[in-house]
């Protein structure tokens, strides 16, 4: 291994671009990132057709992680860098297409976690924040001292932004004033720019030249990778291959290790605030990010919903964590029992549709009265790992293939820092917390779930009960 070793990164989402950036910062000079997305043209912008999980309007940045203080501390490190990026972006003399000085990568919107039961998760999180000296940034919505402090600090309007006190019988919750929302596509574009500016990183995009068809090994033992082959048939030499392919990652793993990571989808919908309602636009742009009935230690909760503040264009993104969905390609004999991402399905499962209807009628009455309806729905695939722990490690049985994945729907916030662990593996450095991300850090008998392999399950999209036609989306109001 030398600083001019050829390093190929598969995937330009948060884990992939961050890996390329940190490898460049570590002095490596020959890094190529491949991705089948058409990002030279759509600039990671979902309004222009970008469709990967990382290419989104917004993602939550929070440091509240109950007992998982390694994520808490990495999130706090990320927050510091996001503020630095905002400042750098504001004063940059030269910027790539898609970025301007007035853009904000991160907005400190706050984040309020609501529930209708008292749970112990919040108490644990607050205790860890107390140890960090950060308890004063947290506001229990039912604590009189916290409420008074919120009035003094200017956060009171975000404690109950949608007026649910008195409507939900036992409303509990905590407002986190440290947290906020990252403009995901701007964050990716900015880190891509910083990586390219170094002269050490190049990007190859597009469904022909950027899609990896296979990893090439020196022989049948598949111990040493010597490169990759793209869909156009070209072969590209490599000394190291980094698999940061999100929901596509399990397909690259040895079959005996695929239970560690599973490709699953949750649903999201988009609403459009009417252009003639500036009052609604102002209100929903200034709400915090909202969680309702979502608990960190449970991947799925009936009627679990999250909602982001409106974008400048008046688009509101809402997601449901009521179920996890899979897609199985029954024509692929090798992977027919392995869930993989797809964009074939456009309409919501009936189960999720009912979750959105319930939330809409209870929480968003003014939008309902303004005849707002679902404009678009989407399945967001990600690689979910056991106990939601990332996997950043060498692929078992290989000497130079690294996996960096398992974002589990909470990985994007770590865009500024997560790539350092890939650089650490190649440079043989042992960064703090790297032990949590080893493939075998969770033993088989400690797995918290069993990946679904039943092609005919009702949680398989092909056999799930989907909304029959988009006309129903107008009935949500």
């Amino acid at each position: 291994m030398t600083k001019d070793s050829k390093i190929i990164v598969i995937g330009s989402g948060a884990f992939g671009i961050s890996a390329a950036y940190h490898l460049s910062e570590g002095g490596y000079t020959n890094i190529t990132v491949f991705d089948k997305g058409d990002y030279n043209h759509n600039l990671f912008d979902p309004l222009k057709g970008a469709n990967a999980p990382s290419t989104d309007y917004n993602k939550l940045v929070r440091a509240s992680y109950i007992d998982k203080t390694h994520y808490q501390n990495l999130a706090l490190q990320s927050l510091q860098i996001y503020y630095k990026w905002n400042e750098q972006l504001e004063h940059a003399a030269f910027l790539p297409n898609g970025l301007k000085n007035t853009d904000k990568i991160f907005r400190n919107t706050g984040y309020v976690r609501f529930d209708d039961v008292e749970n112990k998760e919040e108490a644990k999180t607050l205790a860890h924040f107390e140890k960090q000296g950060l308890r004063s940034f947290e506001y229990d919505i039912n604590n009189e001292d916290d409420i008074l402090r919120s009035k003094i600090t200017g956060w009171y309007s975000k404690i109950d932004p949608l007026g649910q006190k008195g409507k939900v019988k036992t409303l509990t919750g905590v407002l986190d004033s440290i947290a906020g929302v990252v403009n995901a596509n701007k964050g990716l574009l900015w880190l891509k720019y910083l990586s390219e500016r170094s002269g050490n990183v190049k990007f190859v995009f597009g469904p022909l030249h950027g899609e990896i068809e296979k990893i090439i090994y020196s022989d049948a033992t598949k111990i040493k990778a010597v490169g990759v082959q793209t869909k156009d048939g070209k072969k590209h030499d490599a000394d190291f291959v980094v698999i940061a392919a999100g929901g596509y990652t399990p397909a690259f793993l040895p079959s005996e290790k695929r239970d560690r990571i599973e490709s699953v989808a949750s649903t999201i919908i988009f609403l459009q605030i009417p252009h003639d309602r500036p009052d609604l636009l102002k209100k929903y742009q200034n709400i915090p990010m909202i969680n309702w009935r979502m608990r960190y230690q449970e991947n799925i909760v009936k009627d679990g919903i999250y909602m982001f503040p409106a974008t400048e264009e008046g688009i509101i993104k809402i997601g449901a964590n009521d179920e996890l969905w899979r897609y199985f390609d029954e024509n692929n004999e090798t992977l027919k029992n392995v869930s993989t991402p797809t964009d074939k399905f456009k309409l919501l499962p009936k189960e999720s549709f009912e979750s959105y209807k319930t939330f809409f009628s209870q929480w968003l009455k003014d939008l309902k009265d303004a005849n707002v309806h679902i404009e678009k729905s989407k399945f967001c695939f990600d690689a979910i790992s056991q106990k939601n722990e990332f996997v950043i490690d060498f692929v078992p049985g290989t000497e130079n293939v690294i996996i960096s994945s398992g974002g589990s729907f909470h990985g994007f916030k770590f865009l500024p820092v997560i790539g350092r662990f890939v650089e650490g593996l190649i440079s043989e450095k042992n960064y703090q917390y790297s032990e949590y991300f080893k493939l075998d850090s969770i033993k088989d008998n400690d797995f918290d779930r069993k990946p679904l392999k039943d092609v005919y399950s009702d949680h398989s999209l092909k056999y799930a009960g989907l909304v029959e036609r988009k006309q129903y989306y107008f009935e949500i109001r």
Side-chain angles (χ1 to χ4, degrees):
M1 182 271 297
T2 61
K3 292 297 184 180
D4 63 353
S5 295
K6 295 177 181 178
I7 303 172
I8 285 177
V9 179
I10 304 173
S12 66
F15 281 63
I17 283 188
S18 186
Y21 171 75
H22 280 276
L23 285 165
S24 175
E25 289 290 288
Y28 293 95
T29 60
N30 196 346
I31 306 152
T32 305
V33 180
F34 289 88
D35 198 300
K36 68 178 182 178
D38 191 19
Y39 301 133
N40 286 326
H41 296 97
N42 62 40
L43 306 175
F44 304 106
D45 189 339
L47 288 175
K48 298 178 180 177
N51 197 39
S54 288
T55 60
D56 204 347
Y57 298 104
N58 36 39
K59 297 286 189 181
L60 172 65
V61 182
R62 61 173 167 94
S64 47
Y65 268 97
I66 319 176
D67 290 328
K68 293 190 174 185
T69 54
H70 56 298
Y71 287 126
Q72 172 186 299
N73 295 333
L74 288 172
L76 292 172
Q77 293 174 24
S78 296
L79 277 164
Q80 296 178 59
I81 298 171
Y82 278 126
Y83 280 114
K84 180 181 176 181
W85 285 356
N86 276 352
E87 186 176 353
Q88 291 174 335
L89 181 56
E90 182 181 1
H91 298 101
F94 302 98
L95 288 171
N97 186 26
L99 286 175
K100 54 185 185 295
N101 295 111
T102 55
D103 286 333
K104 293 289 185 186
I105 295 173
F106 172 77
R107 290 192 298 132
N108 179 214
T109 63
Y111 162 52
V112 62
R113 307 180 291 274
F114 289 120
D115 210 331
D116 54 0
V117 297
E118 197 71 51
N119 66 67
K120 297 179 181 179
E121 292 185 352
E122 297 298 351
K124 291 180 180 178
T125 294
L126 292 178
H128 287 298
F129 275 19
E130 183 77 51
K131 293 177 183 177
Q132 290 270 16
L134 299 173
R135 175 61 180 84
S136 62
F137 293 94
E138 306 298 299
Y139 302 91
D140 185 322
I141 68 168
N142 294 316
N143 181 294
E144 291 301 323
D145 291 337
D146 285 358
I147 291 171
L148 176 59
R149 185 160 37 84
S150 74
K151 292 177 178 178
I152 296 170
T153 58
W155 283 93
Y156 179 68
S157 65
K158 297 197 176 189
I159 278 186
D160 184 22
L162 299 181
Q164 292 301 301
K165 278 193 171 184
K167 296 179 182 178
V168 177
K169 189 175 180 180
T170 54
L171 188 69
T172 64
V174 173
L175 169 65
D176 177 3
S177 69
I178 296 172
V181 173
V182 61
N183 189 328
N185 62 301
K186 301 294 185 184
L188 292 176
L189 201 56
W190 174 251
L191 201 52
K192 174 178 178 288
Y193 167 64
L194 294 182
S195 301
E196 287 181 313
R197 191 175 65 174
S198 70
N200 299 329
V201 183
K202 66 178 180 179
F203 292 82
V204 181
F205 292 142
L208 185 62
H209 306 300
E211 182 172 354
I212 301 299
E213 204 164 59
K214 64 179 179 179
I215 297 173
I216 303 170
Y217 292 90
S218 59
D219 55 41
T221 64
K222 293 190 175 182
I223 295 174
K224 182 178 181 180
V226 294
V228 300
Q229 181 174 312
T230 44
K231 198 170 183 179
D232 57 8
K234 292 183 179 179
K235 297 179 180 179
H236 308 266
D237 295 340
D239 297 303
F240 289 91
V241 175
V242 180
I243 305 168
Y248 293 95
T249 302
F252 288 97
L253 284 175
S255 57
E256 66 273 14
K257 291 294 182 181
R258 286 182 187 147
D259 283 0
R260 184 67 167 81
I261 296 180
E262 183 184 15
S263 180
V264 301
S266 63
T267 65
I268 53 178
I269 62 171
F270 301 95
L271 314 178
Q272 175 67 62
I273 295 175
H275 298 300
D276 61 353
R277 292 298 303 272
D279 57 323
L280 292 178
L281 179 61
K282 181 179 180 181
K283 172 183 175 179
Y284 283 97
Q285 280 184 328
N286 287 290
I287 65 170
M289 197 278 184
I290 294 171
N291 268 13
W292 167 238
R293 302 195 78 244
M294 288 179 57
R295 294 149 205 165
Y296 304 144
Q297 293 179 331
E298 301 175 57
N299 282 324
I300 55 174
V301 180
K302 180 174 172 53
D303 294 331
I305 294 285
Y306 59 90
M307 175 180 179
F308 283 88
T311 66
E312 291 180 1
E313 299 83 9
I315 297 170
I316 298 175
K317 183 179 88 172
I318 303 176
N321 266 39
D322 55 353
E323 191 50 75
L324 296 176
W325 308 93
R326 286 85 168 171
Y327 171 70
F328 299 99
D329 183 356
E330 297 173 51
N331 296 318
N332 187 329
E333 282 299 319
T334 305
L335 298 172
K336 68 178 181 180
N337 295 114
V338 178
S339 177
T340 53
T342 183
D343 58 3
K344 292 181 179 180
F345 300 89
K346 309 300 182 184
L347 297 179
L348 292 166
K350 293 176 182 177
E351 183 176 341
S352 297
F353 182 64
E354 290 302 318
S355 295
Y356 290 121
K357 283 181 68 175
T358 300
F359 183 78
F360 207 90
S361 61
Q362 180 176 329
W363 292 71
L364 307 176
K365 187 176 184 304
D366 52 0
L367 294 182
K368 187 175 182 179
D369 292 343
N371 292 323
V372 172
H373 58 268
I374 299 174
E375 296 284 348
K376 180 183 177 182
S377 61
K378 176 182 174 182
F379 289 95
C380 181
F381 276 86
D382 198 5
I384 188 169
S385 55
Q386 298 293 341
K387 298 190 176 181
N388 295 331
E389 291 285 0
F390 304 153
V391 178
I392 306 173
D393 198 1
F394 284 98
V395 172
T398 73
E399 60 183 41
N400 62 341
V401 180
I402 293 170
I403 179 176
S404 182
S405 188
S408 304
F409 299 108
H410 72 110
F412 192 97
K413 68 177 68 65
F414 303 104
L415 173 68
V417 301
I418 198 64
R420 79 163 67 123
F421 298 102
V422 170
E423 185 270 322
L425 287 171
I426 292 177
S427 299
E428 299 181 355
K429 297 175 185 175
N430 188 29
Y431 287 117
Q432 186 180 20
Y433 308 129
S434 61
E435 66 273 15
Y436 290 97
F437 309 139
K438 299 299 183 184
L439 196 62
D440 62 356
S441 65
I442 302 172
K443 303 304 179 185
D444 291 2
N445 57 357
D446 288 330
F447 283 3
D448 58 351
R449 57 185 180 77
K450 188 175 182 179
L452 182 69
K453 298 180 181 180
D454 181 3
V455 173
Y456 304 104
S457 165
D458 57 4
H459 293 145
S460 169
L461 286 175
K462 190 172 180 180
Y463 300 97
L466 304 181
V467 172
E468 294 171 7
R469 58 184 189 276
K470 195 172 182 181
Q471 182 63 31
Y472 289 144
Y473 286 7
F474 293 87
E475 298 171 8
I476 197 168
R477 61 175 186 267

